[in-house]
Amino acid sequence: MNRVIRVSFYFAVLFAFICMGCEKPNPYGIETHYVEGQVTLDGKPIEDAVVSFVPKTPGAGEDASGRSKANGSYKLSSLRGLPESGAMEGEYVITVYKNEKVDLAVPQKTLDGEAITFEMKNIMPPDYKNPAKSPLKATVVRGKNKINIEVKSK
């Protein structure tokens, strides 16, 4: 009896170690693939740019997006996926935009007192924000994907 308990214990420990290497299933039932890369403007890394992958064919997948860090690196998350889980397999149009504060607007009265608002301006070329006009395209395949994005100002 003692030997049976010991063997069962070892099988339980072995099973736990095997499962630790398993990927976490997506609770939303979609299969995504890891996507990372770097976004640059005229060869220079762009911080805080919003990168979006929009399915090339409407209805064939779903959007995925990420925000770039100081070195221009980004990681995608699908709208119904886990954070930084990537995008669904398929062909995409890529959009990129980055808003910056342009000017301090006149303070506005609110119920809580005064609020200072800022005028925001997209500093990227306008075509890159529009999926119908963006020249950027990519294909996400199974597994890990590294997709660098080069935005050109002219």
Side-chain angles (χ1 to χ4, degrees), residues 3-65:
R3 183 178 226 168
V4 172
I5 293 172
R6 207 173 327 161
V7 170
S8 297
F9 173 77
Y10 288 124
F11 276 117
V13 170
L14 179 62
F15 181 76
F17 277 113
I18 290 171
C19 286
M20 284 183 359
C22 298
E23 289 187 26
K24 215 188 255 186
N26 187 325
Y28 303 107
I30 61 171
E31 184 179 2
T32 56
H33 305 281
Y34 185 79
V35 179
E36 70 175 356
Q38 184 182 41
V39 60
T40 57
L41 175 61
D42 297 326
K44 296 179 183 167
I46 297 295
E47 179 178 12
D48 210 29
V50 176
V51 175
S52 296
F53 280 47
V54 180
K56 190 174 179 181
T57 305
E62 65 178 46
D63 295 6
S65 63

Side-chain angles (χ1 to χ4, degrees), residues 46-91:
I46 297 295
E47 179 178 12
D48 210 29
V50 176
V51 175
S52 296
F53 280 47
V54 180
K56 190 174 179 181
T57 305
E62 65 178 46
D63 295 6
S65 63
R67 189 174 293 272
S68 64
K69 297 181 181 177
N71 64 356
S73 68
Y74 73 92
K75 294 177 184 175
L76 290 185
S77 299
S78 67
L79 295 177
R80 291 187 298 147
L82 299 169
E84 298 182 356
S85 62
M88 295 174 71
E89 189 174 7
E91 294 184 20

